[in-house]
Amino acid sequence: MNPEREAAKARFLKDCGLSAARREPLAGDASTRSYERLHPPGGRPLILMDQPPVLETPICPPGASDAERMALGYNAAARLAAGSIAAFVTTADYLRAHGLSAPVVEAFDVDDGFAVLEDLGDGLFATLIAHGEPELPLYEAAVDVQVQLHAETPPAILTAQGVSWPLLTYDRLALKVATDTFLEWWPKFAGLAAFGPDGVAEWDRLWAPVWVRGEAGAGVFCHRDYHAQNLLWLPNRKGPARVGLLDFQDALKAHPTWDLLHLLQDARRDVSPELEASMLDRYLAARPETDRERYLADYRALAASNAARILGRVFARQALLGRSQYKAFMPRTWRYLERNLTDPALADLKSWFDRHVPAEARA
């Protein structure tokens, strides 16, 4: 426990009139954020979000060149928000303005990295399904959220409560640096030799058209981490508002496949091929203007890129840092990757993996 951070938190809670609230720590994730449930005397529960700004590398300035972004570090190159409270506040407001259930931000401090949020409960999709809740209505509602969000082009800048945040594009560089983390982290985890210059050059050449397609199609609001552990079921609300939204501060403009591939190729829980196909059909039926075959081709290609990112930066890196729980998710993610690579259009990428990452080196 950092005494200086605790003192800053106490000052923030005092300024919010919440000094007397009982504080209940909540389970975290792999990020630098932490959460507590606040129980004010005689009041409804609230959520305290704690995002120490000093724990993150700089964000991407609008208009920065590729070289400038790379020099600033991974957050800038990949266009991550570094846990910005301004990003959370403005994105939450944008989602609520579109009739969706992001938490109301009751109070915040951008500079110190604190926010008090509406408590949407504990009904995570993943938890409810694990306890027997039928998954189909939940996934249908989650797809309908995507349909609603994709009905219009989002603004370049999000504003709310006196703060603003640029809604940047999930562009070629962001896709590349994310996918390339597989090259950095998987050999270290699997005990392979580092990929040589020829293998890396071939990797770049084969993935480049995928990243170009991802940027070319980037025109809709993207939550960016849209899966069953970031979605809450709110059955007393109506329509897409029954889906409570969390962890959306890294939002961008992206290809319309992006959030769906996170939802339907969920690295943390099994989603059957049948459910995946049914939900893709639901989305495409609601957007008849979409070219189905092109959409599905982009979906498979970008899902393959995302699986490589998850295996590298998220799972292998975290396992090497001592978080062994991430090893359990690796076989599922490899299955998704291998299934995507059966697309004949991705045959050369399949060949790359077959030559450079043998079966025994795939967790």
Side-chain angles (χ1 to χ4, degrees):
M1 183 179 294
N2 183 325
E4 291 183 3
R5 189 65 183 169
E6 283 300 305
K9 189 183 299 183
R11 288 193 298 271
F12 174 72
L13 291 174
K14 181 180 179 180
D15 291 344
C16 297
L18 293 168
S19 292
R22 179 171 62 84
R23 293 163 51 184
E24 173 192 358
L26 298 177
D29 55 17
S31 74
T32 55
R33 289 182 303 281
S34 62
Y35 296 91
E36 298 177 31
R37 178 167 277 126
L38 304 175
H39 299 274
R44 57 188 173 85
L46 297 164
I47 299 295
L48 172 65
M49 181 166 66
D50 177 0
Q51 173 60 72
V54 297
L55 297 182
E56 293 281 355
T57 60
I59 60 171
C60 177
S65 69
D66 287 2
E68 289 168 336
R69 287 162 63 185
M70 293 297 290
L72 286 169
Y74 188 80
N75 281 335
R79 288 185 163 169
L80 292 165
S84 167
I85 297 297
F88 189 96
V89 169
T90 55
T91 304
D93 184 83
Y94 177 82
L95 292 166
R96 288 195 308 276
H98 286 75
L100 301 174
S101 292
V104 174
V105 181
E106 304 282 356
F108 63 92
D109 186 319
V110 169
D111 293 332
D112 277 349
F114 295 116
V116 174
L117 314 175
E118 175 189 11
D119 186 355
L120 295 178
D122 295 315
L124 292 173
F125 278 27
T127 303
L128 294 176
I129 294 168
H131 287 86
E133 184 83 19
E135 65 181 358
L136 183 60
L138 277 63
Y139 275 84
E140 288 178 337
V143 170
D144 293 346
V145 169
Q146 293 295 299
V147 172
Q148 187 157 316
L149 280 172
H150 296 177
E152 65 177 65
T153 301
I157 298 175
L158 303 178
T159 58
Q161 301 191 54
V163 294
S164 62
W165 187 258
L167 193 67
L168 302 176
T169 296
Y170 209 160
D171 66 356
R172 175 200 52 79
L173 179 62
L175 289 162
K176 172 179 168 50
V177 297
T179 313
D180 283 356
T181 59
F182 181 89
L183 300 177
E184 178 182 2
W185 292 101
W186 194 259
K188 297 175 185 178
F189 172 79
L192 296 172
F195 301 118
D198 291 344
V200 172
E202 183 185 11
W203 169 278
D204 285 344
R205 177 177 61 80
L206 295 174
W207 280 116
V210 175
W211 300 328
V212 168
R213 286 156 62 186
E215 179 175 349
V220 300
F221 177 93
C222 172
H223 176 294
R224 199 172 183 172
D225 205 12
Y226 194 75
H227 57 77
Q229 287 188 316
N230 279 337
L231 303 177
L232 293 158
W233 189 234
L234 307 173
N236 293 328
R237 302 188 185 189
K238 294 182 179 180
R242 292 175 296 169
V243 181
L245 303 171
L246 304 174
D247 205 14
F248 43 72
Q249 61 279 338
D250 288 318
L252 294 171
K253 285 186 287 188
H255 194 290
T257 62
W258 198 253
D259 281 342
L260 281 178
L261 67 86
H262 275 268
L263 178 71
L264 302 176
Q265 294 194 9
D266 191 329
R268 292 164 179 80
R269 69 173 306 272
D270 289 326
V271 177
S272 71
E274 294 77 18
L275 179 61
E276 179 184 22
S278 175
M279 293 302 96
L280 287 169
D281 285 344
R282 182 181 184 89
Y283 174 83
L284 290 165
R287 302 196 76 215
E289 71 281 6
T290 301
D291 182 323
R292 178 185 178 87
E293 293 308 314
R294 181 175 180 179
Y295 181 92
L296 293 176
D298 287 350
Y299 175 92
R300 290 186 290 267
L302 289 168
S305 175
N306 188 55
R309 174 192 70 87
I310 291 172
L311 286 167
R313 180 166 178 84
V314 183
F315 294 164
R317 174 173 166 267
Q318 293 294 337
L320 287 166
L321 292 172
R323 295 167 177 164
S324 59
Q325 68 268 29
Y326 288 95
K327 295 179 183 179
F329 305 137
M330 292 175 177
R332 178 185 297 112
T333 308
W334 272 109
R335 289 194 297 272
Y336 289 139
L337 175 58
E338 291 163 355
R339 193 167 82 212
N340 292 317
L341 293 177
T342 62
D343 185 334
L346 303 177
D348 289 343
L349 275 166
K350 180 181 185 303
S351 176
W352 188 97
F353 279 95
D354 290 343
R355 284 182 284 114
H356 291 279
V357 191
E360 61 270 20
R362 304 180 185 189

